[in-house]
Amino acid sequence: MNLPNKITVSRVLLIPVFIVFMLGDFGMGQLTIGGTTLPIEQFIGGLIFIFASATDWLDGYIARKNNLVTNMGKFLDPLADKLLVSAAFIILVEFGLAPSWVVIIIISREFAVTGLRLLLAGEGEVVAANQLGKIKTVTQILAISSLLLNNIFFEAIHVPFGTIMLYICLFFTIWSGLDYFIKNKHVLTKSM
């Protein structure tokens, strides 16, 4: 297992730590930053999410720079992202910060694309994320980070940045999912 794949695995291992901080109440108190007050546990959980999300860029950068791109990495990296993002979105619904219908659409797309990736893998094809998929991922990370941190920095100027980004990410989630299925419809028609 090369370094980028180890980084990807570490992202998966951070998910339970993220969940514990987001959902746990350890009596650590409150924190106020930029006009936003939130529990310290939630702040730490948000930082863990941001750090774990940053490892997605890091593992890809190292893999491309050092010619360490592997089929395992092409498969494991998006799976790790989907697990992290799904956990975060479910927590946002639990906190009442994201509508469940939006999260259902986003997670459904993630499962559908993962299923298509499995069909492609069965045909010997491994498809890396395209530009639309990368935009989708960035908008999801921005939306989730802002919402997990109670719209930190934007709350003081009364801009619902997290909510705006949530709907932008919903748009790119749907668009990139449709694009992925249209470009790979040959696998679906062949498997019927």
Side-chain angles (χ1 to χ4, degrees):
M1 183 178 293
N2 63 28
L3 178 60
N5 291 340
K6 288 178 183 176
I7 293 171
T8 300
V9 169
S10 74
R11 183 161 62 255
V12 174
L13 296 176
L14 279 174
I15 295 170
V17 178
F18 159 69
I19 292 169
V20 165
F21 274 99
M22 288 305 299
L23 299 178
D25 181 5
F26 305 112
M28 298 172 84
Q30 301 277 321
L31 181 67
T32 302
I33 299 174
T36 301
T37 301
L38 66 159
I40 291 174
E41 296 90 344
Q42 186 176 341
F43 181 73
I44 293 169
L47 293 181
I48 291 169
F49 175 83
I50 292 167
F51 175 78
S53 298
T55 66
D56 179 34
W57 173 83
L58 181 63
D59 61 16
Y61 174 78
I62 292 170
R64 286 185 299 277
K65 183 179 181 206
N66 297 306
N67 199 25
L68 296 172
V69 176
T70 63
N71 283 343
M72 179 184 174
K74 287 180 188 177
F75 176 75
L76 191 59
D77 182 65
L79 183 61
D81 297 339
K82 287 169 181 33
L83 292 171
L84 177 63
V85 164
S86 295
F89 273 126
I90 292 167
I91 288 169
L92 289 174
V93 170
E94 171 85 11
F95 286 2
L97 298 173
S100 58
W101 69 270
V102 171
V103 172
I104 289 167
I105 290 171
I106 292 170
I107 292 176
S108 295
R109 180 264 188 214
E110 302 300 346
F111 276 112
V113 168
T114 299
L116 182 57
R117 282 182 182 271
L118 290 172
L119 283 174
L120 286 165
E123 296 291 320
E125 297 180 49
V126 178
V127 181
N130 63 17
Q131 195 62 32
L132 273 176
K134 291 176 182 178
I135 292 169
K136 180 261 317 175
T137 299
V138 168
T139 59
Q140 285 181 347
I141 291 167
L142 288 172
I144 291 168
S145 299
S146 181
L147 291 169
L148 287 175
L149 296 174
N150 292 352
N151 210 33
I152 202 163
F153 305 120
F154 293 95
E155 191 64 31
I157 58 173
H158 307 291
V159 174
F161 179 76
T163 303
I164 292 167
M165 286 309 303
L166 179 65
Y167 289 101
I168 292 171
C169 100
L170 176 63
F171 171 79
F172 280 106
T173 297
I174 293 169
W175 184 11
S176 65
L178 288 172
D179 179 68
Y180 200 85
F181 273 88
I182 289 167
K183 286 182 178 171
N184 296 291
K185 66 183 174 198
H186 66 280
V187 174
L188 293 173
T189 56
K190 190 191 297 187
S191 64
M192 290 184 177

